[in-house]
Amino acid sequence: MNEILEYSKEPLADGRVIYVSRNSRFGTDAVLLADFANPKRIDTAADLCTGGGIIPLLWLCGDSPRTKVYGVEIQPECCRLANMSIDENGDRGKFEVIECDLREVEKRLPREKFSLVTCNPPYFAAGAGFANSTEGRTIARSEVMCDSDDVCRAARYLLKYGGRLCMCQRPERLTDVICAMRGQEIEPKRIRLVQQRANSEPWLVLVEGRRGGKAGIKFLPVLLVENSEGKYSDEMRRIYGRYGEGSKWQDN
């Protein structure tokens, strides 16, 4: 595929945009992960499975880190969309897209030079979950090209001692994430569950591990998407308020 046949752009904040297509979109999980990772100005960051670059683009809104952010993505269409967003927003020199298989990241990025790595990985084991209509969506949602072990192995290569890996995943796969992190000497340190409302089961888990960290996990308060009135919670409004200017969520 040499062209992106159908694409559109969506607003972020401060007049910034992201280009999306049918195969390269983003959801609430990416926005929550971007906020959970909370990069500092001194961080040198890499986002694995970056797709159209949503997490780096969110970080570059407003009071953003000043160091360069790298996004690693295997799908050419996603890389083209991310580069379109970079050009539209004037982010050359701040955000660079690396088109490669994260299992071969050592061929494209330096070892132990990053203080923060993030990943919104495929959620379903190969052959599990819902059938997808396109190869691109299959790669994004199912572990046909990478799994948690691959993500953590790449993060171990990239992270400095003491650097952080932040991931999101379906709650039923939390054990896979913890085992994969520990297998690469990345100690899980913070966990936060996300629920749609107070009486519902969690639909997402956010996990932070630290390379070379000591054992001990802190469980953060559950993040509720909705309040008792069925509207977005105050915390969701805080999170989206930084990035969602002009987005439809404000009508909730």
Side-chain angles (χ1 to χ4, degrees):
M1 181 175 178
N2 296 320
E3 307 181 16
I4 306 167
L5 298 180
E6 294 184 13
Y7 61 86
S8 60
K9 60 182 178 181
E10 297 185 8
L12 294 176
D14 307 319
R16 296 168 56 80
V17 301
I18 180 171
Y19 280 89
V20 299
S21 71
R22 180 183 178 188
N23 293 329
S24 179
R25 305 194 67 83
F26 66 94
T28 300
D29 52 355
V31 180
L32 296 180
L33 179 59
D35 180 76
F36 179 75
N38 190 27
K40 307 298 188 290
R41 287 178 177 270
I42 60 173
D43 276 328
T44 303
D47 181 45
L48 307 178
C49 302
T50 199
I54 179 59
I55 288 176
L57 291 169
L58 290 177
W59 286 342
L60 291 171
C61 292
D63 187 20
S64 62
R66 295 295 182 261
T67 54
K68 193 170 185 177
V69 182
Y70 294 84
V72 177
E73 174 56 47
I74 195 172
Q75 297 192 68
E77 176 182 353
C78 295
C79 293
R80 286 193 290 273
L81 286 166
N83 277 304
M84 289 166 61
S85 299
I86 288 170
D87 290 335
E88 178 92 2
N89 295 312
D91 288 336
R92 290 291 169 195
K94 302 176 186 177
F95 174 21
E96 181 177 347
V97 180
I98 308 296
E99 184 179 333
C100 79
D101 188 327
L102 67 79
R103 294 170 295 185
E104 299 179 346
V105 72
E106 69 277 2
K107 297 180 180 179
R108 301 294 303 277
L109 288 173
R111 184 185 186 93
E112 299 182 359
K113 295 296 184 181
F114 294 83
S115 54
L116 174 63
V117 172
T118 54
C119 186
N120 183 356
Y123 289 164
F124 300 100
F130 298 102
N132 294 292
S133 58
T134 67
E135 180 183 14
R137 289 183 64 81
T138 297
I139 291 172
R141 292 176 58 83
S142 300
E143 294 176 336
V144 294
M145 300 301 292
C146 71
D147 57 22
S148 294
D149 289 325
D150 296 321
V151 170
C152 292
R153 192 174 299 111
R156 169 64 179 80
Y157 169 83
L158 294 169
L159 285 172
K160 302 175 181 178
Y161 189 85
R164 299 182 295 133
L165 168 62
C166 293
M167 295 177 63
C168 59
Q169 186 49 275
R170 293 170 64 89
E172 61 265 32
R173 305 206 64 191
L174 176 58
T175 303
D176 294 336
V177 174
I178 290 175
C179 290
M181 283 186 173
R182 278 195 152 178
Q184 296 298 323
E185 300 179 332
I186 299 171
E187 187 64 25
K189 299 298 294 181
R190 291 196 304 148
I191 292 178
R192 190 171 199 188
L193 293 169
V194 181
Q195 296 175 198
Q196 190 66 25
R197 55 191 69 86
N199 61 352
S200 62
E201 293 185 357
W203 62 271
L204 187 73
V205 61
L206 301 160
V207 186
E208 178 189 274
R210 191 174 293 272
R211 186 190 159 201
K214 295 181 180 179
I217 297 177
K218 180 178 181 179
F219 282 83
L220 303 180
V222 172
L223 196 165
L224 298 179
V225 175
E226 297 179 3
N227 60 25
S228 59
E229 299 176 347
K231 304 292 186 180
Y232 279 112
S233 67
D234 289 342
E235 186 162 18
M236 284 298 294
R237 288 184 176 276
R238 175 192 66 78
I239 293 169
Y240 267 94
R242 295 174 59 193
Y243 315 125
E245 297 173 2
S247 297
K248 61 183 180 181
W249 76 273
Q250 295 188 354
D251 297 329
N252 181 289

